[in-house]
């Protein structure tokens, strides 16, 4: 985890000291955004050429499928495939690439192959909110609980509390998340029979419609509870251990001694002096945490039959629905890139040293 | 006079491997003194025996026995029987070898690629360094498990070798970055400066001065790489994205899930067998890694 503790080192263009602070800040922001756009472009390109150049080319497979199954003439099959993928198949590769790229930039990700006539964007719009809801809730719970337990562990260091929680944290972070999910199903849903697994599948019960009312929120939370529990259990240990180490480092600082000498209450020192400063380094880990939860969502949603974007990804791979797959993967990447961007920028805002030296 | 050359304990062809063995022995003894790494070592040895020795003693039970479906554990069948009445324990014994081999293979690939790229980047510097680091940063941003799932749609995973390559080539980026940082820091140390003053050449500096100082670091990373390869691989198998041939712990999980065993009350031990096998494998490796880290970096012993 050494790479997490150090701030991201980006472009190392040296800047003359004569330039103003404002200018530096602007260019730091500018460079970060440029890098984010570059990453998204890279992934879009990678996916485009994967689809086009792989030995089992999905476009040709689809065209062949149309010809053999429906007896459609080659020309018609080609134009149908072209319409679905939003690419002109007869054009040279670079032209196809440019038109695909401009489509992506205009928010046009093509049409689904398996549910004809449905734009990929509308599939994303339908399923993404559920993933954002479950993953977001899990992140908030995990970070809050992890930070509080981490402080507790540092204050009780080398006691039974600390050792027990350390073992718990190390164990839960090293057991694969789908295994934790399976254990939750086996124990919570089957052996102890606390919830009815058949009823909590999907993201909402039949008959409940989204809206600002208590029934909806309650039902949404009921259906997301097990995936959220899985995300929390598998990620909270990381925050606990990081916060423990960070707090131990902070406890030795002079301002803590001063606060103690001033007679401030232990509780106030723990939360406002130690806690606040110790959680600062954890900001850098935020992007990593988002990446790991979002990545894990693919398996976890499939396991719990939760209808979010992760299960759409797995289903699209099974059905060889390439436009959907490309679109959903792009959404995953954009989410992680955004998390990285927010992390870098907020770390710059929170720590003046980073802001001024431009992330060196 | 002819015997003198034999009397002198000169560089015999055996001395190099012997000294390596000696170093390994000394390291193992050092590790055994640390409680955490001892637990890890015991766990890893247990798994090595389980998947590489026991298959020769316990035959794979491959016969369908309708009357024994989900029969409870007994002394001769410690994990009971599965949905087809096959002994679960023999599946556990036979179902780890390929998984562990692929995990170790993928870890070797990613460690080699990561070390080579990170080393290049750190040693060469300049344009090579900045473009490699940009690529590394971008690669680190791509969510790995979704990428692996997408790759599984394009590449026909025909056997263990393909899986080793895909998983290994997926996770080189974080190591590349870390190795580069290590190289940059070691490059500035006095002993490297001394080697440079003595004009010992880049090859000597890299292989004799820089690399030996990173061995413990690379070992730790290698162990972690095995755990993440295991995670990715079993996830792919569990999702059913690689062909389900033969017996392995991931396939057992997959069948337990698709055949509904996970939701039945009688099949508890059938589920728990692969769950425990995978979990304790990961836990032993992580314990070993923590132990190695503590032994080699005394500052961590708080």
């Amino acid at each position: 985890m050494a790479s997490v503790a150090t701030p991201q080192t980006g472009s190392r263009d040296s800047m003359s000291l004569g330039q103003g602070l404002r200018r530096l800040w602007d260019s730091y922001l500018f460079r970060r955004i440029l890098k984010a756009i570059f990453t998204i472009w890279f992934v879009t390109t990678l996916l485009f050429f994967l689809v086009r150049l792989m030995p089992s080319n999905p476009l040709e497979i689809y065209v062949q499928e149309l010809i053999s199954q429906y007896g459609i003439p080659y020309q018609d099959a080609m134009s149908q495939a072209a319409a679905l993928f939003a690419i002109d198949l007869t054009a040279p590769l670079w032209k196809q690439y440019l038109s695909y790229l401009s489509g992506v930039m205009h928010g046009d990700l093509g049409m689904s192959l398996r549910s004809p006539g449905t734009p990929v964007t509308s599939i994303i719009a339908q399923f993404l909110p559920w993933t954002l809801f479950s993953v977001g809730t899990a992140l908030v719970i995990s970070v809050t609980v992890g930070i509080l337990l981490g402080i507790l562990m540092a204050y009780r260091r080398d006691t039974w509390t600390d050792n027990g929680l350390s073992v718990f944290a190390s164990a839960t972070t090293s057991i694969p998340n789908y295994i934790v999910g399976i254990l939750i199903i086996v124990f919570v849903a089957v052996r102890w029979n606390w919830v009815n697994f058949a009823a909590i599948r999907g993201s909402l019960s039949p008959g409940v419609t989204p809206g600002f009312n208590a029934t909806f929120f309650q039902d949404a939370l009921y259906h997301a509870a097990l995936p959220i529990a899985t995300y929390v259990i598998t990620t909270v240990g990381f925050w606990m251990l990081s916060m423990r180490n960070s707090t131990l480092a902070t406890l030795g600082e002079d301002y803590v001694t001063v606060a103690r000498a001033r007679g401030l209450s232990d509780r106030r020192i723990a939360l406002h002096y130690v806690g606040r400063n110790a959680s600062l380094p954890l900001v850098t880990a935020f992007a990593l945490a988002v990446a790991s939860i979002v990545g894990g969502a693919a398996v976890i949603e499939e396991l719990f039959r939760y209808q979010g974007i992760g299960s759409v990804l797995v289903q699209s791979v099974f059905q060889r629905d390439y436009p959907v797959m490309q679109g959903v993967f792009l959404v995953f990447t954009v989410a992680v890139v955004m998390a990285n961007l927010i992390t870098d920028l907020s770390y710059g805002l929170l720590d003046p040293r980073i802001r001024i030296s431009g992330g060196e | 006079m002819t015997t003198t050359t034999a009397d002198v304990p000169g560089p015999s062809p055996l001395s190099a491997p012997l000294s390596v063995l000696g170093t390994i022995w000394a390291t193992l003894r050092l590790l055994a003194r640390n409680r955490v790494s001892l637990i890890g070592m015991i766990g890893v040895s247990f798994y090595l025996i389980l998947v590489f020795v026991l298959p020769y003693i316990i035959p794979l039970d491959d016969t369908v026995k309708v009357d024994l479906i989900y029969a409870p554990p007994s002394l001769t069948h410690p994990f009971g029987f599965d949905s087809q009445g096959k002994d679960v324990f023999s599946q556990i014994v036979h179902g780890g070898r390929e998984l562990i081999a692929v995990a170790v293979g993928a870890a070797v690939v990613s460690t080699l690629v990561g070390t080579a790229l990170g080393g290049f980047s750190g040693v060469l510097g300049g344009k090579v360094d900045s473009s490699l680091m940009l690529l590394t940063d971008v690669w680190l941003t791509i969510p790995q498990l979704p990428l692996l799932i997408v790759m599984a749609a394009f590449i026909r995973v025909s056997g263990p070798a393909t899986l080793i390559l895909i998983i290994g080539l997926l996770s080189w980026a974080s190591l590349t970055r870390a190795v580069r940082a290590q190289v940059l820091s070691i490059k500035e140390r006095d002993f490297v400066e001394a080697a440079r003053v003595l004009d010992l050449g880049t090859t000597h500096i890299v292989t004799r001065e820089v690399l030996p100082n990173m061995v413990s670091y690379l070992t730790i990373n290698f162990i972690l790489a095995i755990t993440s390869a295991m995670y990715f691989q079993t996830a792919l198998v569990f999702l059913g994205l690689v062909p389900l041939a033969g017996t392995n712990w991931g396939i057992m999980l997959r069948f337990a899930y698709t055949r509904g065993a996970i939701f039945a009350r009688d099949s508890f031990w059938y589920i728990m067998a692969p769950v425990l096998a995978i979990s304790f494998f990961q836990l032993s490796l992580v314990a070993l890694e923590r132990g190695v880290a503590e032994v080699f970096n005394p500052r961590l012993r708080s």
Side-chain angles (χ1 to χ4, degrees), chain A residues 127-128 130-132 134-136 138 177-178 227-228 230-231 234-235 289-314 328 332, chain B residues 143 145-146 149 231 239:
Chain A
F127 291 100
L128 183 60
W130 299 110
T131 303
L132 286 180
S134 55
V135 164
N177 49 6
Y178 43 87
I228 290 177
T230 310
Y231 298 138
T234 46
T235 54
V290 169
S292 93
I293 288 198
V294 161
V299 203
I300 297 303
E301 289 182 354
E302 187 64 14
L303 174 70
F304 287 104
R305 298 263 178 265
Y306 188 75
Q307 284 162 345
I309 200 97
S311 91
V312 173
L313 180 74
V314 176
V328 172
F332 272 104
Chain B
L145 186 60
I149 290 171
Y231 169 79
L239 288 173

Short mmCIF file of all heavy atoms in Angstrom, two decimals, chain A residues 127-128 130-132 134-136 138 177-178 227-228 230-231 234-235 289-314 328 332, chain B residues 143 145-146 149 231 239:
data_model
loop_
_atom_site.label_atom_id
_atom_site.label_comp_id
_atom_site.label_asym_id
_atom_site.label_seq_id
_atom_site.Cartn_x
_atom_site.Cartn_y
_atom_site.Cartn_z
N PHE A 127 -30.23 1.24 -15.22
CA PHE A 127 -29.60 0.39 -14.20
C PHE A 127 -28.56 1.09 -13.33
O PHE A 127 -28.31 0.66 -12.22
CB PHE A 127 -28.97 -0.84 -14.86
CG PHE A 127 -29.98 -1.79 -15.42
CD1 PHE A 127 -30.27 -1.80 -16.77
CD2 PHE A 127 -30.66 -2.65 -14.58
CE1 PHE A 127 -31.23 -2.68 -17.28
CE2 PHE A 127 -31.61 -3.53 -15.07
CZ PHE A 127 -31.90 -3.53 -16.43
N LEU A 128 -27.94 2.14 -13.87
CA LEU A 128 -26.87 2.81 -13.12
C LEU A 128 -27.30 3.35 -11.76
O LEU A 128 -26.57 3.20 -10.78
CB LEU A 128 -26.25 3.93 -13.98
CG LEU A 128 -25.06 4.65 -13.37
CD1 LEU A 128 -23.92 3.70 -13.08
CD2 LEU A 128 -24.57 5.77 -14.27
N TRP A 130 -29.19 2.28 -9.49
CA TRP A 130 -29.21 1.28 -8.42
C TRP A 130 -27.80 0.98 -7.92
O TRP A 130 -27.58 0.82 -6.73
CB TRP A 130 -29.88 0.00 -8.91
CG TRP A 130 -31.28 0.27 -9.31
CD1 TRP A 130 -31.80 0.27 -10.58
CD2 TRP A 130 -32.35 0.67 -8.46
NE1 TRP A 130 -33.11 0.63 -10.56
CE2 TRP A 130 -33.48 0.87 -9.27
CE3 TRP A 130 -32.46 0.87 -7.09
CZ2 TRP A 130 -34.71 1.27 -8.75
CZ3 TRP A 130 -33.68 1.26 -6.57
CH2 TRP A 130 -34.78 1.45 -7.39
N THR A 131 -26.87 0.91 -8.88
CA THR A 131 -25.48 0.67 -8.47
C THR A 131 -24.94 1.86 -7.70
O THR A 131 -24.29 1.70 -6.67
CB THR A 131 -24.62 0.39 -9.70
OG1 THR A 131 -25.18 -0.71 -10.40
CG2 THR A 131 -23.20 0.07 -9.32
N LEU A 132 -25.22 3.07 -8.20
CA LEU A 132 -24.75 4.26 -7.50
C LEU A 132 -25.29 4.28 -6.08
O LEU A 132 -24.57 4.57 -5.12
CB LEU A 132 -25.19 5.52 -8.24
CG LEU A 132 -24.47 5.85 -9.53
CD1 LEU A 132 -25.02 7.13 -10.13
CD2 LEU A 132 -22.97 6.01 -9.26
N SER A 134 -26.43 1.67 -4.15
CA SER A 134 -25.90 0.65 -3.23
C SER A 134 -24.42 0.87 -2.94
O SER A 134 -23.99 0.81 -1.78
CB SER A 134 -26.14 -0.75 -3.81
OG SER A 134 -25.59 -0.85 -5.09
N VAL A 135 -23.64 1.16 -3.99
CA VAL A 135 -22.21 1.36 -3.79
C VAL A 135 -21.95 2.61 -2.95
O VAL A 135 -21.11 2.61 -2.05
CB VAL A 135 -21.49 1.43 -5.15
CG1 VAL A 135 -20.12 2.01 -5.02
CG2 VAL A 135 -21.42 0.05 -5.77
N GLY A 136 -22.71 3.68 -3.24
CA GLY A 136 -22.52 4.93 -2.50
C GLY A 136 -22.83 4.76 -1.03
O GLY A 136 -22.05 5.17 -0.15
N ALA A 138 -22.80 2.01 0.68
CA ALA A 138 -21.78 1.14 1.27
C ALA A 138 -20.51 1.92 1.57
O ALA A 138 -19.92 1.78 2.63
CB ALA A 138 -21.49 -0.03 0.34
N ASN A 177 -14.62 -11.00 -2.07
CA ASN A 177 -15.94 -10.45 -1.72
C ASN A 177 -17.09 -11.38 -2.09
O ASN A 177 -18.10 -11.43 -1.39
CB ASN A 177 -16.14 -9.06 -2.34
CG ASN A 177 -15.80 -9.03 -3.80
OD1 ASN A 177 -15.51 -10.06 -4.40
ND2 ASN A 177 -15.82 -7.85 -4.39
N TYR A 178 -16.94 -12.16 -3.19
CA TYR A 178 -18.05 -13.05 -3.53
C TYR A 178 -18.17 -14.19 -2.53
O TYR A 178 -19.26 -14.71 -2.30
CB TYR A 178 -17.92 -13.60 -4.95
CG TYR A 178 -16.55 -14.04 -5.35
CD1 TYR A 178 -16.11 -15.32 -5.08
CD2 TYR A 178 -15.67 -13.16 -5.96
CE1 TYR A 178 -14.84 -15.73 -5.43
CE2 TYR A 178 -14.39 -13.55 -6.32
CZ TYR A 178 -13.98 -14.84 -6.04
OH TYR A 178 -12.72 -15.23 -6.38
N PRO A 227 -26.22 -6.79 -0.66
CA PRO A 227 -25.03 -6.30 -1.38
C PRO A 227 -24.27 -5.24 -0.58
O PRO A 227 -23.04 -5.30 -0.49
CB PRO A 227 -25.61 -5.69 -2.67
CG PRO A 227 -26.90 -6.38 -2.87
CD PRO A 227 -27.42 -6.75 -1.52
N ILE A 228 -25.00 -4.31 0.05
CA ILE A 228 -24.33 -3.26 0.83
C ILE A 228 -23.54 -3.90 1.97
O ILE A 228 -22.37 -3.55 2.20
CB ILE A 228 -25.36 -2.24 1.38
CG1 ILE A 228 -25.93 -1.41 0.23
CG2 ILE A 228 -24.73 -1.33 2.43
CD1 ILE A 228 -26.99 -0.42 0.64
N THR A 230 -22.22 -6.80 2.06
CA THR A 230 -21.03 -7.42 1.50
C THR A 230 -19.94 -6.39 1.21
O THR A 230 -18.78 -6.58 1.58
CB THR A 230 -21.38 -8.16 0.19
OG1 THR A 230 -22.51 -8.98 0.43
CG2 THR A 230 -20.23 -9.00 -0.29
N TYR A 231 -20.33 -5.29 0.55
CA TYR A 231 -19.33 -4.25 0.26
C TYR A 231 -18.71 -3.72 1.55
O TYR A 231 -17.50 -3.53 1.64
CB TYR A 231 -19.96 -3.06 -0.47
CG TYR A 231 -20.57 -3.37 -1.82
CD1 TYR A 231 -21.79 -2.81 -2.19
CD2 TYR A 231 -19.92 -4.19 -2.73
CE1 TYR A 231 -22.35 -3.07 -3.42
CE2 TYR A 231 -20.48 -4.46 -3.97
CZ TYR A 231 -21.69 -3.90 -4.30
OH TYR A 231 -22.25 -4.16 -5.52
N THR A 234 -16.29 -6.24 3.28
CA THR A 234 -15.03 -6.49 2.60
C THR A 234 -14.14 -5.25 2.49
O THR A 234 -12.97 -5.38 2.19
CB THR A 234 -15.25 -7.05 1.18
OG1 THR A 234 -16.25 -6.26 0.54
CG2 THR A 234 -15.70 -8.48 1.24
N THR A 235 -14.71 -4.05 2.72
CA THR A 235 -13.85 -2.87 2.57
C THR A 235 -13.56 -2.17 3.89
O THR A 235 -12.62 -1.38 3.97
CB THR A 235 -14.47 -1.84 1.60
OG1 THR A 235 -15.78 -1.53 2.04
CG2 THR A 235 -14.51 -2.38 0.20
N ALA A 289 -10.48 2.81 -3.35
CA ALA A 289 -11.64 2.14 -2.75
C ALA A 289 -12.80 2.12 -3.73
O ALA A 289 -13.48 1.09 -3.87
CB ALA A 289 -12.03 2.86 -1.46
N VAL A 290 -13.03 3.25 -4.40
CA VAL A 290 -14.11 3.29 -5.39
C VAL A 290 -13.84 2.26 -6.48
O VAL A 290 -14.73 1.49 -6.86
CB VAL A 290 -14.23 4.70 -6.00
CG1 VAL A 290 -15.16 4.68 -7.20
CG2 VAL A 290 -14.74 5.67 -4.96
N ALA A 291 -12.60 2.21 -6.96
CA ALA A 291 -12.26 1.27 -8.02
C ALA A 291 -12.54 -0.16 -7.58
O ALA A 291 -13.09 -0.95 -8.34
CB ALA A 291 -10.80 1.43 -8.43
N SER A 292 -12.17 -0.49 -6.33
CA SER A 292 -12.33 -1.88 -5.93
C SER A 292 -13.80 -2.23 -5.70
O SER A 292 -14.24 -3.32 -6.06
CB SER A 292 -11.46 -2.20 -4.71
OG SER A 292 -12.19 -2.03 -3.54
N ILE A 293 -14.58 -1.29 -5.12
CA ILE A 293 -16.00 -1.58 -4.91
C ILE A 293 -16.71 -1.68 -6.26
O ILE A 293 -17.48 -2.61 -6.52
CB ILE A 293 -16.68 -0.51 -4.04
CG1 ILE A 293 -16.23 -0.63 -2.60
CG2 ILE A 293 -18.19 -0.67 -4.10
CD1 ILE A 293 -17.14 0.06 -1.63
N VAL A 294 -16.45 -0.71 -7.16
CA VAL A 294 -17.12 -0.69 -8.45
C VAL A 294 -16.76 -1.95 -9.24
O VAL A 294 -17.62 -2.58 -9.86
CB VAL A 294 -16.72 0.59 -9.23
CG1 VAL A 294 -17.00 0.43 -10.70
CG2 VAL A 294 -17.48 1.77 -8.68
N GLY A 295 -15.49 -2.36 -9.17
CA GLY A 295 -15.08 -3.58 -9.86
C GLY A 295 -15.79 -4.80 -9.29
O GLY A 295 -16.29 -5.64 -10.02
N GLY A 296 -15.86 -4.83 -7.96
CA GLY A 296 -16.48 -5.97 -7.30
C GLY A 296 -17.98 -6.03 -7.55
O GLY A 296 -18.58 -7.10 -7.48
N ALA A 297 -18.58 -4.86 -7.86
CA ALA A 297 -20.04 -4.80 -8.07
C ALA A 297 -20.48 -5.78 -9.14
O ALA A 297 -21.57 -6.34 -9.07
CB ALA A 297 -20.46 -3.39 -8.44
N ALA A 298 -19.62 -6.02 -10.15
CA ALA A 298 -19.99 -6.93 -11.23
C ALA A 298 -20.33 -8.31 -10.67
O ALA A 298 -21.36 -8.89 -11.02
CB ALA A 298 -18.86 -7.02 -12.25
N VAL A 299 -19.47 -8.84 -9.80
CA VAL A 299 -19.73 -10.18 -9.26
C VAL A 299 -20.82 -10.14 -8.21
O VAL A 299 -21.69 -11.02 -8.17
CB VAL A 299 -18.46 -10.77 -8.59
CG1 VAL A 299 -18.55 -12.27 -8.55
CG2 VAL A 299 -17.22 -10.33 -9.29
N ILE A 300 -20.77 -9.15 -7.33
CA ILE A 300 -21.69 -9.11 -6.20
C ILE A 300 -23.13 -8.95 -6.67
O ILE A 300 -24.04 -9.62 -6.19
CB ILE A 300 -21.29 -7.97 -5.22
CG1 ILE A 300 -19.91 -8.25 -4.63
CG2 ILE A 300 -22.31 -7.84 -4.11
CD1 ILE A 300 -19.78 -9.58 -3.93
N GLU A 301 -23.35 -8.06 -7.66
CA GLU A 301 -24.72 -7.87 -8.15
C GLU A 301 -25.23 -9.13 -8.83
O GLU A 301 -26.40 -9.48 -8.71
CB GLU A 301 -24.76 -6.68 -9.12
CG GLU A 301 -24.59 -5.37 -8.39
CD GLU A 301 -24.67 -4.18 -9.31
OE1 GLU A 301 -24.74 -4.38 -10.54
OE2 GLU A 301 -24.66 -3.06 -8.82
N GLU A 302 -24.33 -9.81 -9.53
CA GLU A 302 -24.72 -11.05 -10.18
C GLU A 302 -25.09 -12.10 -9.12
O GLU A 302 -26.07 -12.82 -9.26
CB GLU A 302 -23.56 -11.53 -11.07
CG GLU A 302 -23.84 -12.71 -11.93
CD GLU A 302 -24.91 -12.44 -12.99
OE1 GLU A 302 -25.25 -11.26 -13.21
OE2 GLU A 302 -25.41 -13.41 -13.56
N LEU A 303 -24.29 -12.14 -8.05
CA LEU A 303 -24.51 -13.12 -6.99
C LEU A 303 -25.86 -12.90 -6.31
O LEU A 303 -26.61 -13.85 -6.07
CB LEU A 303 -23.38 -13.02 -5.96
CG LEU A 303 -23.52 -13.86 -4.69
CD1 LEU A 303 -23.36 -15.33 -5.02
CD2 LEU A 303 -22.46 -13.45 -3.66
N PHE A 304 -26.19 -11.63 -6.01
CA PHE A 304 -27.43 -11.34 -5.29
C PHE A 304 -28.59 -11.08 -6.23
O PHE A 304 -29.67 -10.69 -5.79
CB PHE A 304 -27.23 -10.13 -4.36
CG PHE A 304 -26.40 -10.44 -3.16
CD1 PHE A 304 -25.09 -10.02 -3.08
CD2 PHE A 304 -26.93 -11.16 -2.10
CE1 PHE A 304 -24.31 -10.31 -1.97
CE2 PHE A 304 -26.17 -11.44 -0.99
CZ PHE A 304 -24.86 -11.03 -0.92
N ARG A 305 -28.34 -11.22 -7.55
CA ARG A 305 -29.38 -10.91 -8.55
C ARG A 305 -29.90 -9.49 -8.35
O ARG A 305 -31.10 -9.25 -8.44
CB ARG A 305 -30.54 -11.90 -8.45
CG ARG A 305 -30.13 -13.31 -8.73
CD ARG A 305 -30.42 -13.68 -10.18
NE ARG A 305 -29.98 -15.03 -10.49
CZ ARG A 305 -28.81 -15.31 -11.04
NH1 ARG A 305 -27.95 -14.35 -11.33
NH2 ARG A 305 -28.48 -16.55 -11.32
N TYR A 306 -28.98 -8.59 -8.01
CA TYR A 306 -29.34 -7.19 -7.84
C TYR A 306 -29.22 -6.53 -9.20
O TYR A 306 -28.21 -6.70 -9.89
CB TYR A 306 -28.39 -6.52 -6.85
CG TYR A 306 -28.78 -5.13 -6.45
CD1 TYR A 306 -29.83 -4.91 -5.58
CD2 TYR A 306 -28.09 -4.03 -6.96
CE1 TYR A 306 -30.20 -3.63 -5.22
CE2 TYR A 306 -28.46 -2.74 -6.59
CZ TYR A 306 -29.51 -2.56 -5.72
OH TYR A 306 -29.87 -1.28 -5.37
N GLN A 307 -30.27 -5.80 -9.63
CA GLN A 307 -30.26 -5.32 -11.00
C GLN A 307 -29.58 -3.97 -11.15
O GLN A 307 -30.22 -2.94 -11.31
CB GLN A 307 -31.68 -5.29 -11.56
CG GLN A 307 -32.12 -6.69 -11.90
CD GLN A 307 -33.60 -6.81 -12.04
OE1 GLN A 307 -34.35 -5.93 -11.63
NE2 GLN A 307 -34.04 -7.91 -12.62
N GLY A 308 -28.25 -4.01 -11.09
CA GLY A 308 -27.48 -2.80 -11.29
C GLY A 308 -26.63 -2.94 -12.53
O GLY A 308 -26.76 -3.91 -13.28
N ILE A 309 -25.75 -1.97 -12.72
CA ILE A 309 -24.97 -1.92 -13.95
C ILE A 309 -23.95 -3.07 -14.02
O ILE A 309 -23.59 -3.53 -15.09
CB ILE A 309 -24.28 -0.53 -14.03
CG1 ILE A 309 -23.87 -0.21 -15.46
CG2 ILE A 309 -23.10 -0.45 -13.12
CD1 ILE A 309 -24.87 0.63 -16.14
N GLY A 310 -23.52 -3.55 -12.85
CA GLY A 310 -22.56 -4.65 -12.82
C GLY A 310 -23.15 -5.93 -13.37
O GLY A 310 -22.51 -6.65 -14.14
N SER A 311 -24.39 -6.21 -13.01
CA SER A 311 -25.00 -7.43 -13.51
C SER A 311 -25.33 -7.27 -15.00
O SER A 311 -25.30 -8.24 -15.75
CB SER A 311 -26.22 -7.82 -12.68
OG SER A 311 -27.38 -7.27 -13.19
N VAL A 312 -25.60 -6.03 -15.43
CA VAL A 312 -25.80 -5.78 -16.87
C VAL A 312 -24.52 -6.12 -17.63
O VAL A 312 -24.56 -6.74 -18.70
CB VAL A 312 -26.21 -4.32 -17.14
CG1 VAL A 312 -26.24 -4.04 -18.63
CG2 VAL A 312 -27.57 -4.02 -16.54
N LEU A 313 -23.37 -5.75 -17.06
CA LEU A 313 -22.09 -6.04 -17.71
C LEU A 313 -21.92 -7.55 -17.90
O LEU A 313 -21.62 -8.03 -18.99
CB LEU A 313 -20.92 -5.49 -16.89
CG LEU A 313 -19.55 -5.74 -17.49
CD1 LEU A 313 -19.31 -4.84 -18.68
CD2 LEU A 313 -18.44 -5.56 -16.47
N VAL A 314 -22.14 -8.30 -16.82
CA VAL A 314 -21.95 -9.75 -16.90
C VAL A 314 -22.94 -10.37 -17.89
O VAL A 314 -22.57 -11.19 -18.73
CB VAL A 314 -22.11 -10.39 -15.50
CG1 VAL A 314 -22.00 -11.89 -15.58
CG2 VAL A 314 -21.04 -9.84 -14.56
N VAL A 328 -21.27 -0.03 -20.99
CA VAL A 328 -21.23 -0.21 -19.54
C VAL A 328 -19.79 -0.13 -19.03
O VAL A 328 -19.52 0.50 -18.01
CB VAL A 328 -21.87 -1.55 -19.14
CG1 VAL A 328 -21.66 -1.82 -17.67
CG2 VAL A 328 -23.34 -1.54 -19.46
N PHE A 332 -18.09 2.31 -16.15
CA PHE A 332 -17.21 1.89 -15.05
C PHE A 332 -15.94 2.74 -15.04
O PHE A 332 -15.52 3.25 -14.00
CB PHE A 332 -16.81 0.42 -15.23
CG PHE A 332 -17.76 -0.54 -14.61
CD1 PHE A 332 -18.64 -1.27 -15.38
CD2 PHE A 332 -17.78 -0.72 -13.24
CE1 PHE A 332 -19.52 -2.16 -14.81
CE2 PHE A 332 -18.66 -1.61 -12.66
CZ PHE A 332 -19.53 -2.33 -13.44
N PRO B 143 -10.82 -0.22 -14.22
CA PRO B 143 -11.24 -1.23 -13.24
C PRO B 143 -10.90 -2.64 -13.74
O PRO B 143 -11.32 -3.03 -14.83
CB PRO B 143 -12.74 -1.02 -13.11
CG PRO B 143 -13.15 -0.14 -14.22
CD PRO B 143 -11.95 0.58 -14.70
N LEU B 145 -11.40 -5.99 -12.61
CA LEU B 145 -12.31 -7.13 -12.74
C LEU B 145 -13.26 -6.95 -13.94
O LEU B 145 -13.41 -7.88 -14.74
CB LEU B 145 -13.07 -7.36 -11.44
CG LEU B 145 -13.93 -8.61 -11.42
CD1 LEU B 145 -13.10 -9.85 -11.65
CD2 LEU B 145 -14.69 -8.74 -10.12
N PRO B 146 -13.87 -5.75 -14.12
CA PRO B 146 -14.68 -5.56 -15.32
C PRO B 146 -13.89 -5.76 -16.61
O PRO B 146 -14.39 -6.38 -17.55
CB PRO B 146 -15.16 -4.11 -15.20
CG PRO B 146 -15.21 -3.87 -13.75
CD PRO B 146 -14.06 -4.63 -13.17
N ILE B 149 -13.59 -9.38 -17.19
CA ILE B 149 -14.87 -9.94 -17.62
C ILE B 149 -15.08 -9.67 -19.11
O ILE B 149 -15.50 -10.54 -19.88
CB ILE B 149 -16.02 -9.36 -16.77
CG1 ILE B 149 -15.93 -9.90 -15.34
CG2 ILE B 149 -17.37 -9.69 -17.37
CD1 ILE B 149 -16.87 -9.24 -14.38
N TYR B 231 -8.11 -14.46 -6.70
CA TYR B 231 -9.39 -13.75 -6.65
C TYR B 231 -9.99 -13.61 -8.05
O TYR B 231 -11.14 -13.98 -8.28
CB TYR B 231 -9.19 -12.37 -6.01
CG TYR B 231 -10.37 -11.45 -6.14
CD1 TYR B 231 -11.46 -11.59 -5.29
CD2 TYR B 231 -10.43 -10.47 -7.12
CE1 TYR B 231 -12.56 -10.77 -5.40
CE2 TYR B 231 -11.53 -9.65 -7.24
CZ TYR B 231 -12.59 -9.79 -6.38
OH TYR B 231 -13.68 -8.98 -6.51
N LEU B 239 -18.42 -16.83 -12.18
CA LEU B 239 -19.39 -16.21 -13.08
C LEU B 239 -19.69 -17.09 -14.28
O LEU B 239 -20.60 -16.81 -15.05
CB LEU B 239 -18.87 -14.85 -13.55
CG LEU B 239 -18.85 -13.73 -12.51
CD1 LEU B 239 -18.15 -12.51 -13.06
CD2 LEU B 239 -20.27 -13.38 -12.09
#
